[in-house]
Amino acid sequence: MERRSLLIGWLVFSVSTLSGKSLFLAEGALIGLVISAIAVAFNRGSGFLTLSEMTLNLPQFGEMKFAINLEYRRVAWKLFVETLTRVSTQPLGTEDGSLREALTSLYSLFSATRELLKNMPPTKLASKVTVEMLAMRMLNQEIRPFLSKWHVRLKKFEATRPGVEESEWSQNEECRKSLRP
């Protein structure tokens, strides 16, 4: 311990006697070491440094700031995977795929999102946009209105014309257009 203190003292004294280009190089090296240590601590997830807030600029929603912690990151990742890997979030051509599958996929996404939200602790920061607020907005302002309209209509068509291909449904093209982003 005593040797370490002596070494640190000598190093501080040596740096304090520098001037000009030598001082500039020593300060740059010190700043580089500090930044590297911070980056290593952040990448290792040691808890020494954690990302606690993120700002996103989204065209539809404007600028959003939301709090992040490990639990919310996990939920956000699960929602991301659930959303982007579904049939319903991929382009559905005029002659391709099945509307029934797409609507069922959306309903399943709705259910999966609701389960994720029920199983996560509520965010304590109510004044900022949170993962659960974004998820609720997706459910209540995007998915629910879409399903309320199209799921009911397709179900009625299927009930009144059993065995008939959905391509024969008069609202097939309109529903597919509404499904596009």
Side-chain angles (χ1 to χ4, degrees), residues 144-157:
R144 184 186 308 276
F146 182 87
L147 286 176
S148 295
K149 177 179 180 179
W150 292 109
H151 182 75
V152 172
R153 291 179 183 187
L154 182 57
K155 195 171 185 175
K156 184 177 179 183
F157 168 77

Side-chain angles (χ1 to χ4, degrees), residues 26-143:
E27 287 174 344
L30 182 61
I31 291 169
L33 283 171
V34 169
I35 290 172
S36 296
I38 290 171
V40 166
F42 182 77
N43 286 334
R44 288 189 181 161
S46 65
F48 173 73
L49 180 66
T50 58
L51 183 62
S52 62
E53 183 176 285
M54 180 176 273
T55 302
L56 293 176
N57 287 313
L58 301 172
Q60 295 172 331
F61 301 110
E63 184 178 282
M64 296 182 172
K65 286 185 179 183
F66 57 95
I68 297 175
N69 71 22
L70 188 57
E71 178 68 24
Y72 304 119
R73 276 180 62 187
R74 287 184 182 137
V75 171
W77 176 251
K78 288 176 184 179
L79 287 172
F80 176 75
V81 170
E82 284 287 337
T83 303
L84 291 182
T85 59
R86 295 209 172 252
V87 170
S88 56
T89 62
Q90 304 306 312
L92 188 62
T94 308
E95 310 263 334
D96 301 328
S98 162
L99 283 175
R100 169 53 53 217
E101 287 297 319
L103 294 179
T104 301
S105 178
L106 272 177
Y107 181 77
S108 179
L109 173 61
F110 194 96
S111 298
T113 302
R114 191 170 40 210
E115 280 305 308
L116 280 169
L117 292 173
K118 285 195 297 188
N119 292 321
M120 72 181 280
T123 301
K124 293 179 177 104
L125 301 173
S127 64
K128 297 183 180 185
V129 177
T130 62
V131 170
E132 59 262 44
M133 287 172 62
L134 292 172
M136 290 296 208
R137 191 177 297 169
M138 177 182 75
L139 292 180
N140 292 326
Q141 294 177 8
E142 301 294 331
I143 297 175

